[in-house]
């Protein structure tokens, strides 16, 4: 795990499947997304962190329910919540604000 990253892991590029790859209307998708499941305390914490980060940056974001969305990669069920930028997994379990900001600035 990289220095300063606590409980957040970057996606393994060999296993990455994007949200865009499974969505026909990916162009309508928000640039910043949080993938969650119901009754998930980690998801609640991630939602709070992402809300705060999005407000600070004036960024619009969307939340997607994995139980309705389906998982493009079976590992997503083990990694929820996931933060995606432009359909790419940036981090999971906890919001790594520095990684999200870096992905948004690319």
């Amino acid at each position: 795990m990289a220095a300063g990253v606590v409980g957040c892991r970057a996606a393994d590029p060999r296993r990455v499947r994007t949200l865009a790859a499974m969505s026909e209307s990916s162009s309508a998708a928000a640039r910043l997304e949080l993938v969650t499941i119901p009754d998930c305390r980690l998801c609640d914490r991630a939602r709070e962190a992402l809300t705060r980060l999005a407000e600070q940056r004036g960024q619009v974001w969307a939340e997607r329910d994995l139980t309705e969305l389906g998982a493009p990669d079976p590992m997503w069920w083990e990694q929820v919540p996931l933060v995606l930028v432009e359909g790419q997994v940036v981090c999971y379990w906890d919001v790594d604000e520095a990684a999200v900001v870096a992905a948004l600035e690319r």
Side-chain angles (χ1 to χ4, degrees):
M1 207 176 303
V5 178
V6 177
C8 185
R9 298 179 188 255
D12 181 343
R14 295 168 297 177
R15 295 189 53 102
V16 170
R17 292 191 190 162
T18 67
L19 190 58
M22 63 181 219
S23 172
E24 293 177 14
S25 61
S26 61
S27 61
R31 190 162 177 240
L32 178 60
E33 296 175 296
L34 176 64
V35 179
T36 62
I37 57 174
D39 302 317
C40 168
R41 288 188 300 173
L42 285 177
C43 299
D44 295 340
R45 287 190 357 211
R47 185 180 303 108
E48 291 170 5
L50 203 58
T51 298
R52 184 177 53 254
L53 178 65
E55 286 175 358
Q56 290 170 352
R57 298 188 52 81
Q59 181 72 49
V60 175
W61 66 281
E63 183 171 343
R64 309 260 185 218
D65 183 337
L66 191 58
T67 62
E68 295 174 6
L69 178 69
D73 182 330
M75 287 302 297
W76 280 25
W77 292 104
E78 302 295 325
Q79 298 171 335
V80 73
L82 299 102
V83 177
L84 289 76
V85 173
E86 294 183 0
Q88 296 287 330
V89 176
V90 174
C91 58
Y92 55 89
W93 294 333
D94 288 318
V95 176
D96 178 352
E97 294 186 20
V100 173
V101 169
L104 287 169
E105 291 177 350
R106 285 187 216 140

